[in-house]
Amino acid sequence: MKILVIGGSGLIGSHILKAGQAAGHEVVGTYRKFPQPGLVPLDAADEAGLEKILDGQKPDAVVHAAGWTWVDGCEDDPKRAFAENAEQPANLARLCQQRGVHFTYFSTSYIFDGTAGLYVEDAQPNPINVYSKSKWEGEQRVQEECEGAALLPRVICVYGAEAQKKNFAYQVWNALREGKTLTLPSDQCGNPTYAGDIARWLITLLEKRERGPWHLGGPWPDCTRPEWANKLISAFGALGISAHPNFQIKTLPTTELKQKALRPLKAGMISTKALNFQSTDFNESIRELVQNSNF
Ligand SMILES: NC(=O)c1ccc[n+]([C@@H]2O[C@H](COP(=O)([O-])OP(=O)(O)OC[C@H]3O[C@@H](n4cnc5c(N)ncnc54)[C@H](OP(=O)(O)O)[C@@H]3O)[C@@H](O)[C@H]2O)c1
């Protein structure tokens, strides 16, 4: 199978490129602002560019692992959030549908309001911030364009090796090394999920030409941020990365954190679509992250 990954320079997209290749598929990835070796430039706002890459590469499957993922940024600029998270993926989905190409749109458990987690695939979405609203609209518009055939993996709290080193595992690693104070919400829960696992699971779903929502979450759906940070600290410690003496964690309830966008508090997911997906051991996933990060 030939897989085209839009957002190949991002956290999830880069892992999908690796996993696709490891499973023996042909993969092509794109970047927008951050060039990576082997990736081709593409802005999803450029419809002619989308047609050109689809007709030039002739993929069997397109994975949209892109969009605007900064939750508080989206709150300030809803127009951009809806353009990049809903309108652009829907355009791409239409172009894929016209060509008989399988389409995947990455979504999030933030489409739920976080009052009734753990969420299963057919739970009722009720997004409470601009990012979440744009993602829920993206899901619906993509599925409409694909006449129900689009695959909609939902993910949350994703970590793993990443060229831009921005995910939570790096935030903890940096704070550990530099002796900073990490201020974390005490009451926001979700599944820490290894990008390498999401990528392997996705390849299986693509091979089966699956469709509809799939909850791709790690093994601890009720994990709070401080609990996740402590798991990371002990995994880094097991690799000989110890904490600077000034490092500390401060926890606050979300109501006192003054984040711009509202957050769903219990946003953890479980899946009712048993495919027996196995998660990588947490310490092993952190060992892979450290090994694949050049500092
Ligand atoms: N990470 C999480 O915890 C999480 C949780 C829930 C849902 N998701 C969803 O999963 C998807 C991937 O997330 P991620 O964390 O891997 O994101 P990421 O690391 O921020 O990467 C985003 C990727 O999309 C590309 N991109 C952004 N806007 C684009 C545009 N207009 N046209 C073409 N490419 C564009 C970026 O390219 P450049 O970097 O080269 O500019 C980058 O490759 C997103 O749809 C996100 O909503 C992620």
Side-chain angles (χ1 to χ4, degrees):
M1 172 169 45
K2 183 167 185 180
I3 307 168
L4 171 62
V5 180
I6 311 300
S9 52
L11 169 57
I12 296 176
S14 59
H15 283 263
I16 294 170
L17 290 171
K18 257 191 181 175
Q21 212 162 23
H25 299 293
E26 193 180 346
V27 294
V28 179
T30 72
Y31 71 91
R32 184 173 64 164
K33 288 188 188 149
F34 295 94
Q36 296 294 317
L39 301 189
V40 296
L42 179 85
D43 189 327
D46 170 13
E47 203 167 318
L50 294 177
E51 294 207 52
K52 193 170 160 209
I53 198 166
L54 289 176
D55 294 334
Q57 295 289 345
K58 300 196 183 326
D60 303 295
V62 168
V63 177
H64 183 274
W68 197 24
T69 59
W70 182 26
V71 175
D72 289 323
C74 288
E75 208 64 17
D76 276 338
D77 192 347
K79 201 168 163 215
R80 177 176 166 194
F82 279 87
E84 298 190 9
N85 292 337
E87 195 180 316
Q88 292 170 14
N91 282 341
L92 180 57
R94 176 174 41 77
L95 298 175
C96 288
Q97 181 70 6
Q98 286 165 356
R99 290 161 176 78
V101 175
H102 184 272
F103 188 73
T104 297
Y105 171 79
F106 264 91
S107 186
T108 169
S109 70
Y110 267 28
I111 62 168
F112 303 113
D113 59 20
T115 59
L118 312 173
Y119 291 99
V120 292
E121 280 90 351
D122 61 1
Q124 184 54 44
N126 182 30
I128 60 171
N129 60 41
V130 171
Y131 168 75
S132 310
K133 286 176 186 167
S134 69
K135 295 297 288 186
W136 174 226
E137 182 165 315
E139 275 200 24
Q140 294 173 96
R141 288 186 59 180
V142 159
Q143 203 51 294
E144 219 169 275
E145 295 291 355
C146 295
E147 296 167 20
L151 174 61
L152 305 168
R154 294 180 184 144
V155 297
I156 185 174
C157 299
V158 184
Y159 69 93
E162 179 190 19
Q164 289 176 54
K165 300 186 176 66
K166 61 182 169 20
N167 66 72
F168 187 62
Y170 289 104
Q171 293 169 27
V172 172
W173 190 359
N174 284 333
L176 270 181
R177 286 188 317 177
E178 293 165 16
K180 289 184 186 154
T181 300
L182 264 185
T183 304
L184 301 175
S186 55
D187 50 358
Q188 294 177 23
C189 306
N191 320 47
T193 310
Y194 181 42
D197 289 339
I198 292 172
R200 283 188 300 109
W201 300 336
L202 178 77
I203 297 300
T204 303
L205 296 177
L206 291 182
E207 287 167 348
K208 294 173 177 290
R209 280 185 88 83
E210 284 291 350
R211 53 170 66 195
W214 279 77
H215 285 187
L216 303 184
W220 305 304
D222 267 335
C223 192
T224 64
R225 282 280 158 160
E227 285 167 348
W228 185 11
N230 283 320
K231 287 178 194 296
L232 286 163
I233 292 161
S234 96
F236 284 128
L239 295 169
I241 300 169
S242 52
H244 185 287
N246 293 344
F247 169 76
Q248 55 174 332
I249 292 180
K250 185 175 158 193
T251 61
L252 285 177
T254 298
T255 46
E256 288 175 32
L257 261 182
K258 299 191 173 64
Q259 290 169 303
K260 190 152 263 174
L262 289 173
R263 297 297 200 280
L265 296 185
K266 289 189 175 297
M269 301 178 295
I270 48 174
S271 179
T272 54
K273 298 183 168 182
L275 256 188
N276 203 18
F277 286 144
Q278 299 296 317
S279 300
T280 302
D281 168 76
F282 188 76
N283 281 11
E284 173 58 22
S285 71
I286 298 305
R287 196 186 59 74
E288 285 180 14
L289 178 148
V290 170
Q291 257 181 1
N292 291 302
S293 302
N294 302 319
F295 276 107

